[in-house]
Amino acid sequence: MNVLVVGGAGYIGSHCVRQLIAAGHRPVVLDNLVYGHRAAVPAGVPFFKFDLGDETSVEKLLRSEKIELVMHFAAYCYVGESVTDPLKYYFNNEVATLHLLRAMLAAGVKRFVFSSTCATYGTPATLPIVETMPQAPINPYGQTKLDVENALKALALAHGLSFAAFRYFNAAGASEDGAIGEDHTPETHLIPLAFDAATGRRAQLEIFGTDYPTPDGTCLRDYVHVDDLSRAHIAVFDRLAKPGAALFYNLGTGRPTSNREVIRAVEKVTGRKIKVVEAPRRAGDPAALYADSSKAQRELSWKVKFPDIESIVATAWKWHSAHPTGYGK
Ligand code: UDP
């Protein structure tokens, strides 16, 4: 299939591009390179650089490349920033997506795969999280993703758009061959920051909150390998052949891992000690988030290849140790 990967130069999008190629599809990348890296896109993959707000160009691209399905990864992803600068998130994550969807309808492209998030659930009443639980985001990042999910439902009814919205838990790791990995500026995620503390690029690692009602007092998260995420995106293609399909899936391993366990895994994989400083809780952090992904396992035959934090960290370290400054500027 000819697949437009919007945000294909970003962390998850670039891994998906490689999985698409491996599965015999033809990816085309659209990325404005605000946060993406041109070097993350393999040579030979058609690459276009413009904003989704340029709807005429999006529509033209969909037609000229004979796109049959669109995957949309392009979004800002910092929860804290979404609280201090909500308009940035409403315009980029929500308005830009509506432009993309309108261009798709104009070009007659009716299959869509959307990157949603466990942040749409807010603070869950029970764990693990299942797809049918109420969604009540506690920050604009989660709200913009939920708003898009709701727009997609309406478009499925009104226009027969078929879509899958994947609610990611904590994406982590890097491609097994070490070719591409995670490079955010600024970096706020626990695993890359732990590598920097292990290698001495940072003096220490702050652990945000040690008084949570969890076994070791630190937050529990569900880390899922970026290639496992990518494979689910491709496994859903068959189900999108049906007009008006409206699909929602959690993607996580279902295994809760504490921040202290992540740090221990990084120390073990890197063979280095991390200087840890106990710091206050970070605003907006629920104590525990982990997924029930049995729906994706059942309906998509989705199997997790990397079920534990150590194997995930090992792939991330392979890339990070070879690219300590990321893709470079
Ligand atoms: N975290 C931490 N120190 C850091 C960065 C993150 O203790 O320097 C914690 C954070 O508070 C959360 C967990 O690590 O409990 C995962 O955070 P991350 O930002 O990696 O992902 P999120 O869960 O926010 O998507």
Side-chain angles (χ1 to χ4, degrees):
M1 235 183 336
N2 295 328
V3 179
L4 181 65
V5 185
V6 182
Y11 172 44
I12 305 174
S14 61
H15 284 80
C16 212
V17 164
R18 292 163 59 95
Q19 295 287 329
L20 281 165
I21 295 168
H25 297 288
R26 179 178 166 270
V28 173
V29 169
L30 171 61
D31 199 301
N32 63 11
L33 295 183
V34 169
Y35 286 122
H37 306 279
R38 182 67 183 86
V41 181
V45 171
F47 179 84
F48 298 86
K49 178 178 179 279
F50 54 84
D51 285 316
L52 292 175
D54 183 356
E55 219 173 290
T56 312
S57 296
V58 178
E59 188 186 331
K60 253 194 224 154
L61 174 60
L62 292 167
R63 291 182 193 280
S64 65
E65 295 292 329
K66 300 188 168 41
I67 298 299
E68 297 156 273
L69 181 148
V70 174
M71 290 183 169
H72 181 32
F73 297 94
Y76 297 150
C77 65
Y78 300 118
V79 166
E81 184 185 57
S82 81
V83 176
T84 54
D85 190 0
L87 284 179
K88 180 171 175 179
Y89 283 72
Y90 277 93
F91 275 102
N92 188 68
N93 292 8
E94 195 161 328
V95 175
T97 304
L98 299 179
H99 283 298
L100 170 61
L101 289 164
R102 192 160 58 186
M104 284 176 59
L105 292 180
V109 179
K110 293 203 172 173
R111 280 176 274 194
F112 191 63
V113 179
F114 178 59
S115 300
S116 190
T117 168
C118 62
T120 58
Y121 295 109
T123 305
T126 54
L127 290 161
I129 298 172
V130 289
E131 287 87 350
T132 48
M133 276 170 54
Q135 288 169 289
I138 56 170
N139 52 61
Y141 169 69
Q143 187 64 52
T144 58
K145 292 286 185 174
L146 180 57
D147 290 348
V148 171
E149 284 194 6
N150 287 330
L152 292 173
K153 277 188 217 166
L155 294 178
L157 278 176
H159 303 294
L161 179 83
S162 298
F163 73 89
F166 287 111
R167 297 176 187 148
Y168 306 154
F169 283 66
N170 286 56
S175 69
E176 276 180 274
D177 61 4
I180 55 172
E182 183 171 14
D183 177 4
H184 294 113
T185 307
E187 189 53 81
T188 61
H189 294 98
L190 183 59
I191 295 172
L193 290 177
F195 286 146
D196 285 346
T199 56
R201 288 192 76 236
R202 277 168 199 270
Q204 60 191 43
L205 178 69
E206 286 186 330
I207 194 164
F208 299 140
T210 52
D211 59 349
Y212 283 99
T214 57
D216 69 15
T218 68
C219 288
L220 297 172
R221 292 288 179 273
D222 181 341
Y223 294 87
V224 53
H225 195 281
V226 63
D227 277 341
D228 280 330
L229 287 182
S230 301
R231 282 186 277 269
H233 290 62
I234 297 164
V236 82
F237 282 7
D238 285 349
R239 289 188 169 251
L240 297 180
K242 186 169 164 243
L247 306 169
F248 299 91
Y249 297 101
N250 286 341
L251 292 181
T253 64
R255 181 185 287 223
T257 304
S258 77
N259 294 344
R260 285 197 202 279
E261 286 172 320
V262 170
I263 293 166
R264 269 202 298 278
V266 170
E267 286 186 330
K268 187 159 175 209
V269 166
T270 62
R272 304 172 199 207
K273 217 46 221 150
I274 295 173
K275 183 174 177 220
V276 174
V277 173
E278 295 190 0
R281 292 181 179 195
R282 187 174 72 174
D285 266 345
L289 291 172
Y290 52 95
D292 178 332
S293 297
S294 51
K295 186 178 177 209
Q297 288 159 16
R298 197 173 57 246
E299 293 189 2
L300 309 180
S301 304
W302 184 57
K303 285 188 193 66
V304 166
K305 185 171 174 190
F306 300 92
D308 63 290
I309 190 65
E310 239 178 79
S311 65
I312 294 173
V313 166
T315 64
W317 177 239
K318 185 168 178 178
W319 191 78
H320 195 97
S321 53
H323 305 86
T325 58
Y327 289 101
K329 289 284 169 282

